[in-house]
Amino acid sequence: MSNVVYAMDGQQRRIEPGTHAIRLVNTLNMPHEEWLEWRRKGITGSDVAGICEITKWSSPVKVYLDKLGQLPSQEDNEAMYWGRIHEDAIAREYAKRTGRKVQRCNAMLQHPENEWALANIDRFIIDKERGKGVLECKTTNEYQKEFWEDRNVPEAYQLQLQWYLYVTGLSWGAFAVLIGGNKYMQFPIVERNDELIEAMVQICGNFWHKHVQAKNPPMMDGSDASSNLLKAMYPDAEPDSETKLPDEADQLIAEWKQADEEIKAAEAKKKTAENRLKALIGEFEKGIASEHVVFWKPVTQRRIESKALKAAHPDIYEKFAKPSTSRRFAIK
């Protein structure tokens, strides 16, 4: 393959050395907003889990709106900021502990055939025996450590790495993570999984052509990401306003009512089992079953009685009471 090819914008681009990926654009010192615009030109590794519906942080409709530039603006948060800050330290620690070299990419990469398949690589790994690989550097908080224990890597990140192997044509990669700012972990080499890659490419290619390019939005799903997206898109409503719903609303209402009845029945069944277990435990704190341990322990909590505080110290109550507005959903 020649070192120079024509990319989707008609311009000549170089091939990333050691891979078959096109260096679409140099990202060194690129402003964040410009980087976001380039990301919208295709599917990146961080989009895949949302499109495949295996993460609570994203969903197909959220990715769709992002690609069309219609996603409600989301400011850079502390987690994102510190993730970027720690990335270099994690990469250097991985190199130090493994003896392998790590290399910055400083470019957005593009698959040579499917131009909508893009990649933003954290680092390349240079190994004397295996050649070039992909390193993913992650940060997470202490509350998420269980998802990384026992040498596990969250599924969303596994798909992300395989996507990068697809775009670059490389055969292996690895993960390193910093948990809670003070616990470093690295993981065994991950081999390329062509069967998984084929499935991802089919799903993401269909999503790109059927939804993004056709401007045909995917249906809303029941994910937390979709719920949060709707709250951000429609935080308020015009007082006393109404709209005529299409015919599909009747079917959705029927499905909602059926699910609501099933939830109520399940909750009643659950509560009955709980009360019968409490009766069996009686005055003890825990009960030992053949395969489980059941706890019923006293727990003391201190809660502020807002009514009493308002009556005794109305000035303090008004100072610290903050109004909260949300939209309540109901079917009558």
Side-chain angles (χ1 to χ4, degrees):
M1 181 183 292
S2 171
N3 288 331
V4 177
V5 296
Y6 286 93
M8 60 182 175
D9 58 2
Q11 301 297 314
Q12 285 188 343
R13 308 290 185 193
R14 290 194 302 113
I15 298 295
E16 173 66 25
T19 77
H20 70 196
I22 298 170
R23 288 182 64 90
L24 184 60
V25 62
N26 185 5
T27 57
L28 184 63
N29 300 321
M30 176 182 285
H32 187 63
E33 286 300 320
E34 183 180 350
W35 178 77
L36 291 176
E37 284 297 323
W38 278 98
R39 284 187 78 255
R40 295 189 181 109
K41 297 181 183 294
I43 303 299
T44 68
S46 57
D47 298 322
V48 176
I51 296 171
C52 296
E53 302 182 61
I54 67 161
T55 174
K56 67 177 183 178
W57 306 114
S58 187
S59 65
V61 70
K62 184 175 182 180
V63 176
Y64 170 82
L65 292 174
D66 181 29
K67 297 307 171 185
L68 268 61
Q70 298 176 4
L71 196 65
S73 59
Q74 295 178 322
E75 295 183 359
D76 208 6
N77 59 37
E78 286 283 298
M80 296 176 183
Y81 172 79
W82 287 107
R84 292 192 297 271
I85 292 296
H86 287 307
E87 182 180 299
D88 189 54
I90 296 169
R92 283 189 281 106
E93 190 65 21
Y94 179 85
K96 177 182 176 181
R97 297 197 186 195
T98 63
R100 302 183 180 108
K101 293 182 179 179
V102 295
Q103 179 186 77
R104 291 180 180 272
C105 181
N106 293 330
M108 185 171 292
L109 304 181
Q110 178 188 45
H111 192 274
E113 296 175 0
N114 287 325
E115 60 185 21
W116 46 266
L118 307 178
N120 292 283
I121 306 294
D122 287 344
R123 294 290 189 281
F124 284 116
I125 311 171
I126 310 300
D127 183 86
K128 293 181 179 179
E129 296 182 359
R130 299 187 64 111
K132 208 165 192 175
V134 174
L135 175 64
E136 277 297 286
C137 305
K138 301 300 180 183
T139 59
T140 190
N141 59 51
E142 187 71 15
Y143 301 107
Q144 302 294 319
K145 66 179 181 180
E146 63 182 280
F147 298 107
W148 295 88
E149 291 176 342
D150 299 325
R151 293 298 174 186
N152 289 321
V153 174
E155 288 183 333
Y157 296 146
Q158 294 182 40
L159 294 191
Q160 186 177 14
L161 178 57
Q162 290 295 332
W163 186 259
Y164 293 157
L165 297 180
Y166 167 66
V167 173
T168 60
L170 299 177
S171 62
W172 66 283
F175 290 97
V177 61
L178 184 66
I179 301 174
N182 58 8
K183 182 179 181 181
Y184 170 86
M185 295 178 64
Q186 63 190 43
F187 299 82
I189 285 176
V190 177
E191 302 290 350
R192 180 186 176 103
N193 185 331
D194 286 316
E195 185 176 354
L196 177 58
I197 287 174
E198 182 179 355
M200 286 193 301
V201 171
Q202 183 175 354
I203 292 170
C204 292
N206 180 69
F207 174 85
W208 179 256
H209 296 295
K210 179 180 177 181
H211 295 296
V212 178
Q213 289 197 318
K215 292 183 171 56
N216 173 36
M219 289 190 297
M220 280 287 178
D221 56 26
S223 66
D224 290 341
S226 290
S227 297
N228 293 332
L229 178 62
L230 287 169
K231 291 178 184 177
M233 292 176 65
Y234 310 111
D236 205 352
E238 287 292 328
D240 301 320
S241 60
E242 65 180 34
T243 184
K244 178 66 175 178
L245 297 176
D247 293 340
E248 67 174 305
D250 292 326
Q251 177 62 31
L252 293 173
I253 291 170
E255 292 175 5
W256 186 91
K257 287 187 172 182
Q258 180 181 351
D260 188 51
E261 290 299 321
E262 291 172 353
I263 290 172
K264 289 177 180 177
E267 288 291 343
K269 185 176 181 180
K270 177 183 175 182
K271 194 64 179 180
T272 298
E274 179 180 320
N275 287 340
R276 292 180 66 181
L277 285 167
K278 287 178 178 178
L280 293 174
I281 293 175
E283 61 187 6
F284 298 96
E285 282 196 345
K286 66 180 179 180
I288 310 299
S290 60
E291 297 181 0
H292 299 87
V293 178
V294 183
F295 295 90
W296 189 23
K297 302 174 65 173
V299 178
T300 301
Q301 294 179 326
R302 297 182 65 86
R303 297 177 180 175
I304 296 176
E305 293 290 342
S306 58
K307 290 183 179 180
L309 176 62
K310 185 177 182 181
H313 303 283
D315 54 334
I316 295 177
Y317 175 84
E318 289 299 330
K319 181 179 180 181
F320 291 98
K322 294 183 179 180
S324 177
T325 303
S326 61
R327 298 181 67 178
R328 182 177 299 169
F329 180 83
I331 295 177
K332 297 183 178 180

